[in-house]
Amino acid sequence: MGRTTAVLYSTAVCNLDCTYCYINKNKGLKAIDRLLADSFADPDYYFGFIRDYFPHKGDLQKLEIWGAETFLHMERVHPVLHKLIGHYPFFRSFFASTNFSYPEWTDKVFDLLGQFSGYAPRRFDVTLQLSLDGPKEITDSTRGAGVTEKCLENFGRLLSRAGEIPGNVSVFLAFKPTLSVDSMYRLNTKEKIAKYYQFFEGLIQKVVDLNLPNLSVNHPVPNIGVPAPAGKKDGEFFAGLVKNCRELERENGEKGYFSFYREITPFATNVRPKAEDTYNYPCFNCGTGSTNVGFLPNRLISSCHNGFVDVLEDYEKNFLENPDSSIDPKLFQPTHNKFTHTEADYPAYERQISHYNAAGSMCRMGCLAGFLRTLALAGEIDEKYATEEGAFHGAELYQSCTCNCLRDNYMVTGSTTLQPEGMIKLLLNGAIDYIMEEKENVCP
């Protein structure tokens, strides 16, 4: 199946409660976290579990750590990490997603990096995905008051200690900004969009100024939190936003808005559509069922980055005590669970998803085209998608520039493969025409 990446879940608890996060923050997570802690008590449990699915020493190339806030208990992973390094000679990539917003974070990062130092001259690549949605007025609106300041303080502490990064470790800082449908309305002028990206350029400049060979940073462009509860009017606004982004890109050579950015348009960095109309498009997603395998307690396998919420059967009971979320509680009943698998069930899931992901999947493209045509006929997206040809071309465009999350699909539609209408309305009310402009025409 082309497996390359093992996924472990260091913790089920988080210090934040972001508005667009669909992990319901209730006491059930603490019970799940205790299960996770127990499962890490014996590092041979996960080491043996991973070896069963990556049986050859050349199989495992990457370890990803997900959860709620991974570094709250990253130390649980360290003993397993050492066993994996010792067993898999081609394992060299490590990834962790983090909100980097609490006082102990910097020490925990360097504690992790130190785990690799004893294996020199063998080299390792460590990616830290840093969740930061933008300047204070945007990040604090979605992640909580004061979060931006805490993140920036920790970022400064990390850079002040960058000389402590082991010589055999390269660290890539990957900012991951997320806009909610509400927060994107704060970017309603070209001036505000320019200031948004200049905020990130200030952080990029700090990394560049260090001029270290083993520390680098991305040039982040925001995505939209999914499932996106967007309507037609939201899509029309988003079309104006990306139009302004393209204009800023064209003007940048003359007006010098940005030093590092050449492309700032959301969704524009994905694969472009083929010149001819064809079903031959692969599906972009997180690697579930193909390259990635998630490992949970009790010999369960997760096909989702937050699959840990499905471990505890009474999570639904705790979930119902918090009425503030729109998630269907049926998703947490074992009979409805699509993302946590027994070992007996998992091979069938891998076969299904490998077929779904593959280029030439007529069902995926055909169903999407039919859905687009229905939305266009109802006046919910641009009318050019109302014809059979237009709908098929719209499906090509949509499939070419979006990531497809099976859990997002299931939470809204009840199907892992039927995509929600919100992101379609966001993109196919004019925005995608600007997104798909050729780079050479917009990035001097």
Side-chain angles (χ1 to χ4, degrees):
M1 296 293 181
R3 300 169 186 155
T4 61
T5 304
V7 180
L8 296 177
Y9 306 88
S10 60
T11 181
V13 294
C14 187
N15 59 306
L16 299 182
D17 190 6
C18 303
T19 59
Y20 46 70
C21 181
Y22 48 70
I23 299 176
N24 187 271
K25 305 303 194 304
N26 64 62
K27 65 183 181 180
L29 292 179
K30 293 182 179 179
I32 296 172
D33 191 63
R34 289 193 293 271
L35 285 176
L36 290 174
D38 290 344
S39 70
F40 279 105
D42 179 6
D44 283 330
Y45 167 69
Y46 283 115
F47 179 52
F49 201 177
I50 290 171
R51 281 191 301 166
D52 288 342
Y53 285 83
F54 296 82
H56 305 108
K57 288 199 170 186
D59 287 347
L60 185 67
Q61 301 172 29
K62 184 177 183 180
L63 178 64
E64 293 189 0
I65 308 300
W66 291 86
E69 170 43 41
T70 58
F71 276 94
L72 286 175
H73 289 296
M74 186 62 76
E75 70 280 355
R76 294 172 179 172
V77 176
H78 296 173
V80 183
L81 177 63
H82 287 291
K83 287 182 174 289
L84 295 177
I85 293 173
H87 186 74
Y88 292 101
F90 298 105
F91 164 49
R92 60 168 292 169
S93 296
F94 183 96
F95 170 98
S97 178
T98 175
N99 64 46
F100 72 115
S101 63
Y102 46 97
E104 305 83 6
W105 181 80
T106 309
D107 288 338
K108 286 179 174 286
V109 168
F110 282 97
D111 191 17
L112 168 68
L113 298 179
Q115 306 303 310
F116 298 100
S117 61
Y119 298 95
R122 183 172 168 183
R123 297 197 56 81
F124 297 90
D125 299 320
V126 174
T127 297
L128 301 178
Q129 180 175 278
L130 307 176
S131 297
L132 184 66
D133 298 335
K136 180 178 180 179
E137 62 271 17
I138 289 181
T139 296
D140 280 16
S141 72
T142 52
R143 294 184 175 270
V147 170
T148 310
E149 183 178 357
K150 294 174 183 177
C151 290
L152 295 181
E153 288 176 354
N154 279 336
F155 184 70
R157 293 190 186 104
L158 177 70
L159 297 190
S160 71
R161 297 177 57 183
E164 300 176 31
I165 299 172
N168 65 325
V169 175
S170 295
V171 175
F172 179 57
L173 303 177
F175 287 109
K176 183 181 183 296
T178 301
L179 296 175
S180 68
V181 171
D182 291 333
S183 66
M184 74 176 183
Y185 279 94
R186 294 176 180 267
L187 302 178
N188 58 357
T189 67
K190 289 167 63 173
E191 291 73 22
K192 291 179 181 179
I193 295 171
K195 289 181 179 179
Y196 177 89
Y197 285 102
Q198 288 162 1
F199 166 80
F200 283 109
E201 286 218 329
L203 302 180
I204 295 167
Q205 187 67 60
K206 292 178 184 294
V207 178
V208 172
D209 288 344
L210 291 176
N211 194 30
L212 293 176
N214 60 344
L215 180 65
S216 57
V217 64
N218 71 333
H219 302 164
V221 175
N223 65 354
I224 303 295
V226 290
K232 182 179 178 66
K233 293 296 184 183
D234 300 314
E236 291 170 346
F237 173 85
F238 191 64
L241 191 158
V242 296
K243 178 177 181 288
N244 283 337
C245 287
R246 288 306 195 195
E247 290 180 359
L248 287 168
E249 291 167 358
R250 291 190 183 94
E251 297 168 2
N252 188 46
E254 176 185 350
K255 297 188 177 181
Y257 298 116
F258 313 117
S259 299
F260 299 104
Y261 282 100
R262 292 297 175 266
E263 189 163 44
I264 63 170
T265 302
F267 298 100
T269 56
N270 297 96
V271 176
R272 307 295 180 161
K274 301 178 186 299
E276 72 279 8
D277 288 335
T278 174
Y279 281 101
N280 198 32
Y281 284 91
C283 181
F284 304 102
N285 66 22
C286 63
T288 176
S290 52
T291 58
N292 296 10
V293 184
F295 298 92
L296 291 168
N298 304 323
R299 297 288 295 193
L300 293 174
I301 296 174
S302 173
S303 57
C304 177
H305 289 151
N306 61 14
F308 61 87
V309 300
D310 300 323
V311 172
L312 191 66
E313 290 188 3
D314 64 350
Y315 184 79
E316 179 196 2
K317 172 177 170 289
N318 294 293
F319 165 80
L320 290 173
E321 294 176 2
N322 186 338
D324 298 328
S325 176
S326 60
I327 305 172
D328 186 344
K330 294 194 301 296
L331 302 184
F332 299 102
Q333 296 177 4
T335 54
H336 290 81
N337 183 7
K338 299 291 186 181
F339 307 103
T340 301
H341 315 268
T342 65
E343 292 186 86
D345 296 336
Y346 188 68
Y349 176 83
E350 272 197 325
R351 290 193 297 271
Q352 173 194 356
I353 297 302
S354 294
H355 174 72
Y356 176 81
N357 288 345
S361 176
M362 296 179 67
C363 180
R364 169 169 45 80
M365 288 291 291
C367 288
L368 180 58
F371 190 27
L372 298 188
R373 191 176 187 187
T374 301
L375 289 172
L377 290 170
E380 292 297 314
I381 60 175
D382 285 349
E383 62 180 4
K384 64 183 176 181
Y385 303 115
T387 66
E388 184 174 358
E389 180 181 3
F392 187 85
H393 187 57
E396 291 180 323
L397 296 175
Y398 184 84
Q399 188 68 67
S400 295
C401 76
T402 58
C403 292
N404 180 44
C405 177
L406 302 188
R407 184 181 283 271
D408 291 341
N409 297 351
Y410 187 58
M411 286 169 58
V412 176
T413 69
S415 166
T416 56
T417 55
L418 181 61
Q419 297 175 345
E421 63 183 32
M423 188 61 73
I424 294 171
K425 292 179 180 179
L426 190 75
L427 292 176
L428 298 189
N429 276 298
I432 205 163
D433 298 323
Y434 298 107
I435 291 168
M436 287 300 177
E437 289 183 4
E438 293 298 328
K439 290 183 181 180
E440 57 264 28
N441 294 330
V442 297
C443 301

